[in-house]
Amino acid sequence: MKFENIQQQAQREWEAFNRLERPRILIGAVTCGRAAGALSVRAAFEKELATRSIAADFYEVGCLGMCYAEPLVEIGLPDGQRVMYNNVTEKMVADLVEDVIENGNPRPDLALATLGDAAIEGIPDVSNLPMMEGQVRIILRNAGLIDPTNVHHYVARGGYSGLARALGMMPEEVIKEVKNSGLRGRGGAGFPTGIKWEFARRTQNNTKYVICNADEGDPGAFMDRAVLESDPHAVLEGLTIAAYAIDASQGFIYIRAEYPLAVERLNLAIRQMEELKFLGENIMGTDFNFSIRIKEGAGAFVCGEETALIASIEGRRGMPSSRPPFPSDCGLHGKPTIINNVETLANVSEILNRGAEWFTRYGTEKSRGTKTFALAGKINRTGLIEVPLGITLKDIIFNIGGGIPDGKKFKAVQTGGPSGGCLPEELIELPVNYEELTKAGSIMGSGGMIVMDEDSCMVDIARYFLEFTHKESCGKCTPCRMGSQHLLRMLTEITEGKGTPGHIDTLVKLGETVKSGSLCGLGQTAPNPVLTTVRYFRKEYLSHITDSRCPAGVCQELITYSINENCTGCRVCLRACPADAITGEKKELHVIDPDKCTRCGTCMDVCKFDAVVIS
């Protein structure tokens, strides 16, 4: 079937999907939605509608990014009304069915936003929600809007038009288009994508490979998972375009096995591509042949590094290799190989569809386009966002993210995952792009963004992330293996009150050595949390060392629990204390025995009168 005919069929399906001849219910049901109970909510809807003999259409859609509002349910009615409801529970379903579907009452008290053209008084349009204002959705263009298992939905919204255009161009022209877009790799290093492709294109070899790096291993990061579960064809189309550009006939998706739904969606999407001749031999009637295989990884963080990833696909232990040679010259099985991450490839498909000039409207001169971030930590609106590069940290944290919960004070934000730097409040106006983050001592990374409030101890934060990267070090090179071990030891000593003034200078000196001497990106970035917390929060280090005090009240060895005059003698803390460290008579002030207290914090957690304090 010709692509034009596929597009026509897709358009008919898309129009039928949006015609709403009877109630239509869309449920955000990728991994995040399911974790919040989306499938139970769907089952409750089906049962309630069956009880009332109401016919409706159900679709599971992808992630809109508003994790704080999950589960999200959109109800569309034949009158054109489309309303999205947040934090939907099974108990709410009967009311929604009766009021919204049977009686046409949109229930503004339960609604989050409207969608489509029909405005409803008292309910904002989804584009006016604070979390959505300021976002530009290129990578997430279809997330939450289409059925990710239906390839025709993707085609109807411009999908595979980029591939069709690319196949009508010379490969060198495709590479030039990507270069002109200014797209930089979104996996962390920010290397220009078009130049990487050009290197592989110029390397003479009969066999070449392209790989999609979907080995997302950062704690708190879920950008790749959300894209693959919500819009897998956007990535597969980008990978196919990359293969055409460098003359590769075999591609791989390297994805961790902990993402079963993403793997399921990719397998289905690949079968659909093969059926429509978007993969296989003579793609879209041309002489271009290409196939894609999925390789599931075991979850080692270091396999996000290119050469370690290649080793894992080849069946060897995932450990990095020295470069040069670079994979574009000598990669998988010794053949020229390019590796792009999920987000990069999702950009490529849209750049070829809409053109390089369109893409350059977003971002800054050296950092074009948009970037997704997994917004997590001490922030009101957690979730997945996509913003133009160059936006400030302040706009992300306070406008889109809604600021810090419970009126607490913002203290720092870590960008770039466990290897990123911690940036203080003084840098809240910092533009988020590759150059500015590097100057500040941090990195863009893959897009993790963790917000910290005044209750966060920056020494403990550095120790926490260093512990992660130390455990994930493959141990091949000495600077990373031994350096991270000694950095972790010193940080632990400081948090236990055993640090000396010399620890700080040694941390900086050793951190710089690990950065410059390590073999791969893991070791080269692992000291970033240490170096930036020393740079911006040196006073906190000194408090731990010279005053034996943790200002945030986090480091257990440096804090003491006591009970103040707010105590009513209710005995709740006394009964909850696992160490029997609290004494006191009923309705009288209680006392904590510091020799018995294990500083677990249980007494503070159970006290309703703010009588337990830390000093």
Side-chain angles (χ1 to χ4, degrees):
M1 184 184 292
K2 291 183 178 179
F3 184 53
E4 292 77 9
N5 295 333
I6 296 172
Q7 287 179 305
Q8 291 169 4
Q9 181 180 341
Q11 197 59 41
R12 288 193 294 272
E13 280 199 31
W14 184 246
E15 289 172 0
F17 176 71
N18 288 299
R19 195 168 295 128
L20 303 186
E21 292 180 342
R22 60 184 190 178
R24 186 191 69 178
I25 298 173
L26 307 184
I27 299 180
V30 295
T31 296
C32 50
R34 294 182 182 196
L39 296 184
S40 298
V41 169
R42 171 176 180 159
F45 265 106
E46 290 175 328
K47 183 179 178 181
E48 188 67 26
L49 290 167
T51 301
R52 296 170 186 264
S53 300
I54 298 173
D57 294 316
F58 281 93
Y59 295 93
E60 293 183 8
V61 296
C63 176
L64 273 172
M66 292 181 278
C67 296
Y68 72 98
E70 296 278 10
L72 286 163
V73 175
E74 178 197 325
I75 300 177
L77 299 177
D79 64 0
Q81 171 181 298
R82 292 173 57 193
V83 180
M84 184 162 57
Y85 299 90
N86 60 303
N87 302 120
V88 178
T89 65
E90 294 172 64
K91 291 182 179 179
M92 294 167 60
V93 169
D95 287 346
L96 289 173
V97 171
E98 180 176 345
D99 294 343
V100 180
I101 297 178
E102 280 194 324
N103 300 321
N105 174 3
R107 290 296 303 269
D109 58 316
L110 301 176
L112 178 67
T114 62
L115 300 99
D117 298 328
I120 298 175
E121 186 176 354
I123 307 176
D125 184 86
V126 67
S127 61
N128 295 326
L129 291 177
M131 189 170 190
M132 303 304 282
E133 285 185 329
Q135 289 201 48
V136 175
R137 297 169 75 88
I138 297 173
I139 300 139
L140 302 174
R141 57 191 179 273
N142 294 317
L145 303 179
I146 67 170
D147 175 358
T149 66
N150 189 329
V151 63
H152 289 118
H153 282 193
Y154 178 70
V155 173
R157 288 180 53 84
Y160 291 106
S161 295
L163 176 62
R165 179 174 174 242
L167 295 179
M169 303 162 68
M170 296 298 292
E172 292 80 3
E173 293 175 324
V174 174
I175 293 173
K176 184 179 180 181
E177 186 81 353
V178 175
K179 287 174 66 178
N180 289 342
S181 74
L183 177 65
R184 298 171 64 168
R186 299 297 196 245
F191 191 81
T193 303
I195 293 177
K196 179 186 277 191
W197 290 12
E198 195 170 53
F199 289 156
R201 175 76 194 174
R202 288 176 177 172
T203 304
Q204 298 299 312
N205 203 298
N206 291 330
T207 302
K208 297 179 183 179
Y209 297 103
V210 291
I211 299 173
C212 171
N213 183 353
D215 190 52
E216 185 173 54
D218 295 9
F222 46 89
M223 299 79 61
D224 291 356
R225 176 185 56 72
V227 173
L228 292 170
E229 292 177 347
S230 302
D231 196 15
H233 284 285
V235 181
L236 295 171
E237 183 185 1
L239 187 65
T240 308
I241 293 169
Y244 174 72
I246 72 160
D247 194 23
S249 58
Q250 179 67 60
F252 290 86
I253 306 275
Y254 188 87
I255 182 170
R256 49 184 50 215
E258 295 99 322
Y259 284 0
L261 182 60
V263 173
E264 178 185 319
R265 294 270 161 90
L266 283 169
N267 276 315
L268 174 62
I270 289 171
R271 290 198 299 273
Q272 292 171 336
M273 290 179 72
E274 291 170 342
E275 290 169 2
L276 296 175
K277 304 298 182 185
F278 297 156
L279 276 184
E281 296 186 353
N282 303 120
I283 293 172
M284 290 187 167
T286 67
D287 59 358
F288 172 50
N289 305 322
F290 181 58
S291 61
I292 298 175
R293 289 173 54 191
I294 294 176
K295 169 67 177 176
E296 295 184 43
F301 184 65
V302 74
C303 284
E305 197 278 337
E306 289 187 346
T307 57
L309 184 154
I310 287 172
S312 179
I313 293 178
E314 291 175 343
R316 297 182 288 120
R317 181 180 173 186
M319 299 176 80
S321 303
S322 299
R323 294 181 292 180
F326 292 95
S328 56
D329 296 321
C330 181
L332 183 63
H333 303 303
K335 306 297 182 181
T337 303
I338 60 166
I339 303 171
N340 291 129
N341 90 328
V342 167
E343 192 173 328
T344 307
L345 294 169
N347 270 311
V348 165
S349 49
E350 194 66 349
I351 289 170
L352 264 295
N353 179 32
R354 306 186 68 167
E357 184 180 351
W358 161 81
F359 189 75
T360 59
R361 297 174 190 170
Y362 306 103
T364 64
E365 183 178 352
K366 294 183 178 178
S367 298
R368 298 291 190 190
T370 60
K371 181 76 189 76
T372 60
F373 292 99
L375 206 51
K378 304 291 183 66
I379 191 161
N380 280 312
R381 290 191 281 268
T382 56
L384 179 65
I385 63 170
E386 182 177 356
V387 292
L389 288 166
I391 190 173
T392 66
L393 287 170
K394 183 178 181 179
D395 281 337
I396 291 177
I397 295 169
F398 288 95
N399 295 337
I400 294 175
I404 313 302
D406 304 322
K408 297 284 181 70
K409 187 179 178 185
F410 168 75
K411 185 171 188 177
V413 58
Q414 189 197 35
T415 68
S419 301
C422 297
L423 306 177
E425 185 179 16
E426 304 91 89
L427 296 180
I428 196 68
E429 300 284 355
L430 186 78
V432 179
N433 59 47
Y434 292 97
E435 293 73 29
E436 295 298 328
L437 289 175
T438 300
K439 285 180 192 173
S442 190
I443 57 175
M444 184 74 75
S446 56
M449 187 172 283
I450 299 175
V451 180
M452 291 159 252
D453 69 9
E454 59 190 276
D455 293 335
S456 303
C457 170
M458 302 314 295
V459 184
D460 186 63
I461 289 288
R463 184 202 57 77
Y464 172 82
F465 285 116
L466 213 287
E467 184 176 27
F468 173 83
T469 47
H470 170 64
K471 286 181 178 176
E472 293 292 339
S473 170
C474 73
K476 184 173 182 178
C477 71
T478 302
C480 180
R481 183 181 69 249
M482 297 305 296
S484 62
Q485 178 181 333
H486 287 296
L487 287 171
L488 178 60
R489 174 183 57 78
M490 285 188 284
L491 287 168
T492 302
E493 288 174 350
I494 294 173
T495 58
E496 292 177 346
K498 301 172 184 174
T500 66
H503 271 57
I504 297 179
D505 289 340
T506 306
L507 281 172
V508 174
K509 187 175 181 180
L510 181 56
E512 295 291 354
T513 301
V514 173
K515 277 173 71 79
S516 61
S518 292
L519 181 60
C520 78
L522 194 157
Q524 291 163 7
T525 57
N528 283 337
V530 184
L531 296 174
T532 52
T533 51
V534 170
R535 177 177 172 182
Y536 297 117
F537 301 94
R538 180 178 283 263
K539 287 183 179 178
E540 273 197 53
Y541 278 85
L542 291 172
S543 294
H544 285 71
I545 293 170
T546 59
D547 302 334
S548 297
R549 187 174 68 87
C550 174
V554 172
C555 298
Q556 290 192 357
E557 300 297 330
L558 302 178
I559 60 176
T560 302
Y561 285 92
S562 60
I563 297 176
N564 65 21
E565 63 279 2
N566 290 344
C567 177
T568 63
C570 68
R571 312 199 81 188
V572 171
C573 62
L574 184 149
R575 289 193 293 270
C577 178
D580 293 328
I582 301 177
T583 56
E585 298 299 323
K586 191 173 183 179
K587 296 185 179 180
E588 292 183 2
L589 184 70
H590 288 11
V591 177
I592 298 176
D593 182 344
D595 293 330
K596 289 185 178 180
C597 178
T598 61
R599 304 174 185 85
C600 66
T602 301
C603 52
M604 177 172 275
D605 292 338
V606 301
C607 180
K608 298 179 180 178
F609 306 100
D610 295 328
V612 180
V613 296
I614 294 174
S615 58

